[in-house]
Structures are given as structure tokens and as C-alpha cells.
Amino acid sequence: MSNDGGEYAEDYSDDTDIPTHFTPSAESMVHDGPRDVGIVFIGDSFVAGYGDPKGHGWVSRVVGRTHHPDLDLTAYNIGVRGDSSADVLARWRTEGLLRWQDRRERRLVIGIGQADMTQGLTTARSRLNLANILDDATARGISPFVVGPPPTLEPDVNERLEIIVEAQADVCSRRSVPFVDCYYPLSEHDQWLSELSASRDGRHPGQAGYGLLAWLVLHGGWENWLQIAG
């Protein structure tokens, strides 16, 4: 697999002139009983919950706190440790569509960032990969939601990571896609820093750290996105 996204990103020379806004499919708007919603969580080791001794990560915590009488939710976690935006771009359709095939309402949560640096992707390529995922998803009637990468204990890594976070936020803003910033709220958070200090790699937290990530997601427009707020 090419680190720069290869054939999957060739549709667009940039992402600045593609005003894509999510429009749900007609079949998701007309139904009897609870809404049949399938959410695919795709991304890297943070989506997979790597490092959490309880094995919950932030995804299971968020799903466990998502309740509404009109919501029949099925969640699929297909996070892969080490996945970059190029990896997710290459696999989200095949793996996602398989899981959505019997769901009336389809939603996609994306969590990527740190592996883009590891794989040596440029900021422009990272930006374009995410833009292509969002544009393709919205064109297919799939509603996206993006969770940004959290900070590490390494200043040089954080300096590069901050640029990726800003790029992701801008890509999402241009498309009116919800974006949860996990970088700035945690960059000086004592509990987060303590979790990383006690971890094996200084990047992945333990149970409490994943609880912080879940809190940010739940308070980052989650219920509005699912249309269960209020």
C-alpha cells in the first residue's frame, strides 16, 4: 500500500472547492419504530482502545452512554493499530458497506492522525485523504463524524501533530462535519499527562485517559449529530 494514498486520492487536486454537506438517504427518513442506526468506528489504535487494561477504549464508553428510546443502535469497531489516513481511505468502503448493508441509517466515525506522521505522510496528503473519505461518505448518504488525535509526551511529535489537527479541523469545517478536538483540551491536562507517563510508549493512555477521550466525544456534538439531543 502506498503511503501517499495512491489511486484512492486521485479524484481531487485539493479539497478547498468541494462544498459537500450531508444529506441523509430517503429510506433513512421514513420508517416505523426506533431508528435503525449502524455506526462504524474506523481508525487507528485509539479507536481500537490499545493500552486500556479494561479493553473498553473510548468507543465502548461512548456507545455505552448513548441511549435514546427512538434509537436502535448497532456499533462496529474496526479500528486497527497503526492505521493512517491512507489506510483508512483504502479500506473504509469495503469494510464499512459490509456492516451497513442491513442498517437503515448509516453513520461513520473516523479517528486518525498519529500514524500519518509515522508513515511520513505530508500534511497535504493527510488532509486530502480525510477530505476524500468525507466527500465519498456524504455522497453515499453516510453521515461522518471525526475525532482528532490526542497529544503525546514528545514536544517534537506534538509540534507536527498540531498541524495535522488544524488541517483536520479545517477540512471538517469546510464540510460542516463535526470535529472533536482531543489535542488542545488534553495538551496540559494533568490526568492525561499522568496517564501517558505511566504508559509503555508515552502515547497511549490507560483506563482514565480513555475516559477523558470519551468525555470529549460525548460533549463534542455527539448527541446533536445523532439527532437525539434535548
Side-chain angles (χ1 to χ4, degrees), residues 102-124:
D102 294 324
R103 303 281 67 79
R104 182 178 292 116
E105 187 175 331
R106 302 172 297 171
R107 293 177 178 267
L108 176 68
V109 179
I110 306 157
I112 46 179
Q114 288 196 15
D116 282 29
M117 298 183 302
T118 304
Q119 294 187 14
L121 272 65
T122 65
T123 302

Side-chain angles (χ1 to χ4, degrees), residues 207-219:
Q207 184 178 355
Y210 276 107
L212 291 173
L213 291 175
W215 189 94
L216 289 172
V217 172
L218 289 167
H219 291 81

Side-chain angles (χ1 to χ4, degrees), residues 92-140:
W92 82 268
R93 282 195 301 264
T94 301
E95 297 185 26
L97 292 175
L98 176 65
R99 291 162 174 83
W100 283 312
Q101 61 183 349
D102 294 324
R103 303 281 67 79
R104 182 178 292 116
E105 187 175 331
R106 302 172 297 171
R107 293 177 178 267
L108 176 68
V109 179
I110 306 157
I112 46 179
Q114 288 196 15
D116 282 29
M117 298 183 302
T118 304
Q119 294 187 14
L121 272 65
T122 65
T123 302
R125 180 54 59 182
S126 294
R127 179 188 182 99
L128 186 57
N129 288 341
L130 178 59
N132 282 340
I133 295 169
L134 300 182
D135 293 338
D136 193 5
T138 54
R140 293 170 182 268

Side-chain angles (χ1 to χ4, degrees), residues 1 16-17 25 45 48 53 58 66 70 104 117 121 136 143 152 156 179 181 188 199 203-205 221:
M1 181 182 299
T16 60
D17 59 349
S25 59
S45 52
W58 65 261
T66 303
D70 294 330
R104 182 178 292 116
M117 298 183 302
L121 272 65
D136 193 5
S143 178
T152 73
D156 58 331
F179 174 75
D181 174 18
E188 297 183 2
S199 71
R203 296 191 181 188
H204 295 87

Side-chain angles (χ1 to χ4, degrees), residues 16-159:
T16 60
D17 59 349
I18 311 167
T20 304
H21 298 279
F22 172 67
T23 302
S25 59
E27 63 177 1
S28 72
M29 301 299 291
V30 180
H31 56 85
D32 296 320
R35 291 160 52 206
D36 179 16
V37 180
I39 304 182
V40 170
F41 294 82
I42 192 169
D44 56 18
S45 52
F46 293 99
V47 174
Y50 172 73
D52 184 350
K54 295 291 185 179
H56 298 310
W58 65 261
V59 171
S60 292
R61 288 177 168 86
V62 167
V63 172
R65 291 182 175 273
T66 303
H67 304 288
H68 193 277
D70 294 330
L71 191 69
D72 183 10
L73 176 64
T74 306
Y76 308 89
N77 188 334
I78 51 175
V80 173
R81 184 180 177 187
D83 257 17
S84 68
S85 60
D87 297 317
V88 171
L89 176 62
R91 71 183 179 91
W92 82 268
R93 282 195 301 264
T94 301
E95 297 185 26
L97 292 175
L98 176 65
R99 291 162 174 83
W100 283 312
Q101 61 183 349
D102 294 324
R103 303 281 67 79
R104 182 178 292 116
E105 187 175 331
R106 302 172 297 171
R107 293 177 178 267
L108 176 68
V109 179
I110 306 157
I112 46 179
Q114 288 196 15
D116 282 29
M117 298 183 302
T118 304
Q119 294 187 14
L121 272 65
T122 65
T123 302
R125 180 54 59 182
S126 294
R127 179 188 182 99
L128 186 57
N129 288 341
L130 178 59
N132 282 340
I133 295 169
L134 300 182
D135 293 338
D136 193 5
T138 54
R140 293 170 182 268
I142 300 164
S143 178
F145 186 102
V146 179
V147 180
T152 73
L153 290 179
E154 306 164 68
D156 58 331
V157 172
N158 286 344
E159 185 176 348

